[in-house]
Amino acid sequence: MAVLNILKYPDETLKQCSQPVEDFNDELATFLSDLEQTMRAGPGGVGIAAPQVNVFQRIAIVDVSAKPKIKHNGCMILINPEIKTWKGMKVGREGCMSVPDYTGNVIRAEKITIQAANALGESINYECEGYEARAVQHELDHLDGLLFLDRLVSRRSDLFKRKVYK
Ligand SMILES: [Zn+2]
């Protein structure tokens, strides 16, 4: 297992669109464990997407189970994920391991349903809401080359500089 290097804004490679995973093999399993380890090594690591470590495949991991008092699905391995339904809209603050110096306010759906493959290629459906739904939408954006910076309502009033990433 290995902690992988995280690409940081304004690295242009973060804008690349990722390709679907086709082979569910040992190489993928090894990458998934490295990706998960990288997420857990990061400060506040509740999610990570493959393009953040320079791998342009449609893979994300979200695990918000360490946050108190919220609904969650545990550790979700999301391969070739698709959001099927959206419900409600809410503004919330987001950070990103690829944008360590800022947080920002972004509008996201409050409830979503998603379909994704797991490490074995089996199709799984999830229902997510609140903080977990926000984390999933954030990570899935990375697969299309989008950062939360691209979704700010206003750069002037919705972007916040942070001194230390906690
Ligand atoms: Zn991010």
Side-chain angles (χ1 to χ4, degrees), residues 8-163:
K8 303 247 165 68
Y9 175 84
D11 193 320
E12 291 283 319
T13 42
L14 285 165
K15 291 186 182 174
Q16 266 191 61
C17 200
S18 292
Q19 299 302 309
V21 173
E22 284 169 4
D23 296 320
F24 293 81
N25 52 21
D26 288 351
E27 197 185 330
L28 175 68
T30 303
F31 175 67
L32 289 171
S33 68
D34 288 348
L35 191 64
E36 185 176 345
Q37 200 185 4
T38 306
M39 175 184 82
R40 300 200 187 284
V46 295
I48 193 165
Q52 291 182 275
V53 297
N54 212 15
V55 173
F56 294 91
Q57 294 202 295
R58 302 190 76 79
I59 301 170
I61 302 177
V62 171
D63 184 355
V64 300
S65 61
K67 295 264 174 189
K69 295 180 189 167
I70 56 166
K71 277 197 179 175
H72 64 77
N73 287 289
C75 185
M76 292 185 286
I77 307 270
L78 304 171
I79 301 173
N80 303 335
E82 280 183 60
I83 299 180
K84 295 294 187 183
T85 63
W86 289 260
K87 213 172 159 187
M89 287 290 173
K90 203 172 180 184
V91 175
R93 190 74 75 92
E94 295 184 17
C96 179
M97 286 196 280
S98 294
V99 190
D101 297 334
Y102 293 92
T103 61
N105 284 333
V106 181
I107 297 171
R108 301 282 189 190
E110 277 190 281
K111 279 190 182 183
I112 55 173
T113 55
I114 39 174
Q115 182 178 38
N118 67 8
L120 302 173
E122 300 160 340
S123 178
I124 301 187
N125 293 293
Y126 294 101
E127 284 181 23
C128 305
E129 63 178 73
Y131 187 77
E132 185 179 60
R134 175 170 297 277
V136 167
Q137 290 168 83
H138 175 113
E139 298 310 331
L140 267 49
D141 266 357
H142 280 296
L143 307 182
D144 294 322
L146 291 170
L147 298 174
F148 77 83
L149 299 172
D150 301 310
R151 293 212 185 260
L152 298 172
V153 177
S154 156
R155 277 208 172 233
R156 195 161 53 87
S157 58
D158 291 322
L159 186 62
F160 308 92
K161 182 122 180 98
R162 65 167 136 205
K163 293 214 166 66

